Amino acid sequence: MSNPCAVVTGSSRGIGRGIALALAEAGYNVVVNGVRPESDIGDVLDELKLLGVEAVYSQADIGTASGRENLLSTTRSAFGRLDLLVNNAGVAPRVREDILDASEESFEHVLRINLQGPHLLTQAAARWMVAQKESDPSFSGTIVFITSISSIVASVSRGDYCISKAGLSMAAQLWATRLSEYGVSVYEVRPGLIETDMTSAVTEKYEAMIADGLLLEPRWGTPEDIGKAVRMLARGDLPYATGQVLTLDGGLTSLRL
């Protein structure tokens, strides 16, 4: 198949879905990933295929070794290549608790999925990309880490989430450094307040903060906003920039007087 292939973790909904659709519009075949049964995400696959590309689903928990192996095995079987990995899958803590009270179980759960999983998935995907580069010097791979402003903005009611995203920011730097000799570009995309299922429980809180001037662009971000950014990086529209952080937060983290 001549189309490049993208694996987007956590792409059955939310930001991941927005990314998958943007990549399909750019001509990428897409491996959709999530933990729900395939019968629950048929609409996503149909939507992608209507854009003229191939799309398959891999039900896999990237926080487990078997899940990561299954995801890449599905990719090999379906497309035989991997041009782009988007590490998007992530979870919020099941219960928001002050860091004085948060449980070890919550910490392990969040870090396993948000940090350990993407780092080890990238390791396996990078080895595949290196092999492709060695067999075809024209190969050009890309890896994108979707993090969060929570990697630099402290939120003491979900410290495990913040720590996981901060670690993922460093993972992006490490992989950008390690893979540079193979021409594999690595980026971090750092979203702010994005309107998804994950943020639905705190909608009123953040809408009040937005109305009170929290953002320079006074609106929620959308999965489509993030998808457009990833598509730009995948197409190579931002050259000479591997290892860089692209912050899409409506100006939330801009310093102001």
Side-chain angles (χ1 to χ4, degrees):
M1 297 182 182
S2 58
N3 284 6
C5 170
V7 170
V8 185
T9 64
S11 48
S12 67
R13 64 177 74 182
I15 289 176
R17 182 172 182 165
I19 292 169
L21 289 169
L23 293 173
E25 290 173 350
Y28 276 80
N29 292 328
V30 181
V31 179
V32 177
N33 161 252
V35 294
R36 291 183 293 163
E38 184 168 354
S39 57
D40 290 352
I41 61 93
D43 58 329
V44 182
L45 296 178
D46 291 343
E47 197 171 5
L48 292 167
K49 291 175 181 178
L50 284 174
L51 294 171
V53 300
E54 295 297 318
V56 298
Y57 181 63
S58 176
Q59 182 182 359
D61 177 359
I62 59 100
T64 66
S66 60
R68 295 187 294 271
E69 181 179 350
N70 179 65
L71 176 56
L72 293 182
S73 176
T74 298
T75 305
R76 286 184 185 275
S77 297
F79 302 116
R81 63 188 291 175
L82 175 60
D83 302 88
L84 170 64
L85 169 65
V86 183
N87 286 299
N88 167 75
V91 296
R94 295 189 177 107
V95 179
R96 288 185 175 226
E97 293 183 301
D98 188 287
I99 55 176
L100 287 170
D101 305 310
S103 69
E104 184 172 344
E105 184 277 331
S106 178
F107 188 89
E108 290 178 346
H109 172 69
V110 172
L111 270 289
R112 177 179 63 82
I113 296 172
N114 290 10
L115 179 56
Q116 179 176 313
H119 176 66
L120 295 177
L121 177 61
T122 298
Q123 182 186 61
R127 289 171 176 166
W128 186 3
M129 288 183 177
V130 168
Q132 289 178 101
K133 182 68 173 181
E134 290 175 343
S135 64
D136 178 9
S138 67
F139 172 80
S140 178
T142 304
I143 297 173
V144 179
F145 289 84
I146 307 299
T147 63
S148 167
I149 56 166
S150 293
S151 66
I152 59 170
V153 178
S155 179
V156 296
S157 64
R158 53 193 185 108
D160 37 19
Y161 183 82
C162 294
I163 290 170
S164 73
K165 292 300 184 177
L168 207 59
S169 294
M170 176 50 71
Q173 293 298 305
L174 289 165
W175 286 112
T177 302
R178 184 64 184 90
L179 296 177
S180 60
E181 66 179 281
Y182 302 103
V184 174
S185 297
V186 182
Y187 307 96
E188 176 188 348
V189 173
R190 189 178 289 171
L193 301 179
I194 308 300
E195 195 169 18
T196 66
D197 292 345
M198 185 180 290
T199 56
S200 62
V202 289
T203 296
E204 290 186 13
K205 170 186 173 180
Y206 285 123
E207 285 188 345
M209 295 174 74
I210 291 171
D212 198 37
L214 177 67
L215 308 178
L216 299 181
E217 297 183 43
R219 68 170 177 87
W220 284 88
T222 67
E224 291 75 21
D225 293 330
I226 311 305
K228 289 176 182 177
V230 173
R231 181 173 62 196
M232 174 191 68
L233 296 173
R235 288 189 309 210
D237 291 348
L238 192 66
Y240 203 55
T242 190
Q244 294 304 301
V245 181
L246 191 61
T247 301
L248 282 73
D249 67 356
L252 187 153
T253 55
S254 296
L255 297 176
R256 286 166 269 178
L257 290 175

